[in-house]
């Protein structure tokens, strides 16, 4: 049960780190408006050129790219430690079996970890090409800034 609670604590820390490192509200829209002014963008209500939005979103995703990868490395490091301790407990009475069990466990864990890291990197790359934001205040902030600018 301690393993579960430590992983939950680490996931909560990742969530707080992500929330603290990315601010999609006011500054995100200000950058967007400045870029639209530079390229003389179309000023229709709730219209954001796709290329502008993707460029800004990709910049934000790139700013937090290390956090999920560090999280995955932490989790797998912790799981490797737990598996090592369980192997020691289970193979304690069989000292000749322990080295081969340890080597097999490390081999399997490293393969799974590599696949997992690859999948996380793939998901991050997919986030870079999507055209949405998860900020619920986006339209509200957008309207406020547009009214202020007009």
């Amino acid at each position: 049960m301690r393993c579960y609670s430590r992983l939950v604590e680490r996931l909560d820390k990742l969530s707080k780190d992500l929330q603290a490192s990315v601010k999609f509200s006011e500054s995100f829209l200000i950058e967007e408006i400045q870029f639209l002014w530079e390229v003389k963008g179309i000023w229709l209500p709730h219209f954001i050129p796709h290329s502008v939005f993707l460029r800004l979103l990709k910049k934000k995703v790139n700013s937090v790219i290390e956090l999920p990868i560090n999280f995955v490395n932490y989790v797998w490091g912790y799981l490797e430690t737990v598996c090592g301790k369980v192997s020691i407990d289970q193979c304690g009475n069989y000292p000749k079996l322990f080295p081969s069990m340890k080597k097999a466990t490390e081999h399997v864990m490293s393969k799974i970890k590599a696949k997992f890291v690859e999948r996380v990197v793939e998901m991050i790359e997919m986030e870079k090409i999507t055209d949405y934001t998860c900020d619920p205040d986006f339209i509200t902030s957008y309207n406020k800034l547009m009214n202020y600018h007009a």
Side-chain angles (χ1 to χ4, degrees):
M1 294 306 289
R2 280 194 333 225
C3 179
Y4 176 76
S5 64
R6 287 196 181 168
L7 292 177
V8 168
E9 287 173 4
R10 189 61 182 197
L11 189 58
D12 287 342
K13 183 181 180 320
L14 172 69
S15 176
K16 289 175 185 172
D17 290 346
L18 283 171
Q19 293 296 325
S21 64
V22 178
K23 304 285 187 236
F24 275 111
S25 58
E26 305 286 332
S27 63
F28 180 70
L29 293 173
I30 290 171
E31 291 174 11
E32 180 182 296
I33 290 170
Q34 289 172 345
F35 187 75
L36 287 170
W37 275 79
E38 290 174 11
V39 296
K40 305 272 191 248
I42 301 171
W43 291 98
L44 297 174
H46 306 299
F47 177 78
I48 303 164
H50 187 34
S51 61
V52 173
F53 186 75
L54 281 179
R55 179 180 161 264
L56 294 171
L57 191 59
K58 184 184 278 190
K59 182 179 170 184
K60 294 296 180 185
V61 170
N62 283 335
S63 71
V64 296
I65 201 166
E66 298 103 26
L67 291 175
I69 294 171
N70 289 343
F71 174 73
V72 167
N73 288 329
Y74 171 81
V75 168
W76 279 100
Y78 184 70
L79 290 176
E80 288 169 350
T81 303
V82 170
C83 284
K85 289 179 180 179
V86 169
S87 294
I88 290 171
D89 289 345
Q90 296 299 316
C91 297
N93 295 331
Y94 308 99
K96 291 182 179 180
L97 183 63
F98 181 69
S100 59
M101 286 295 292
K102 182 178 177 184
K103 188 174 182 178
T105 303
E106 288 173 355
H107 178 71
V108 169
M109 295 283 289
S110 67
K111 279 180 135 179
I112 295 172
K113 179 182 177 181
K115 286 181 183 178
F116 201 83
V117 169
E118 182 181 319
R119 180 68 179 134
V120 167
V121 169
E122 180 182 303
M123 290 183 338
I124 291 169
E125 291 300 319
M126 287 173 28
E127 287 295 319
K128 289 181 183 179
I129 59 173
T130 58
D131 53 355
Y132 68 90
T133 180
C134 61
D135 187 358
D137 298 325
F138 180 80
I139 295 296
T140 306
S141 299
Y142 179 82
N143 288 335
K144 187 173 111 179
L145 283 171
M146 292 309 289
N147 289 336
Y148 175 74
H149 229 287

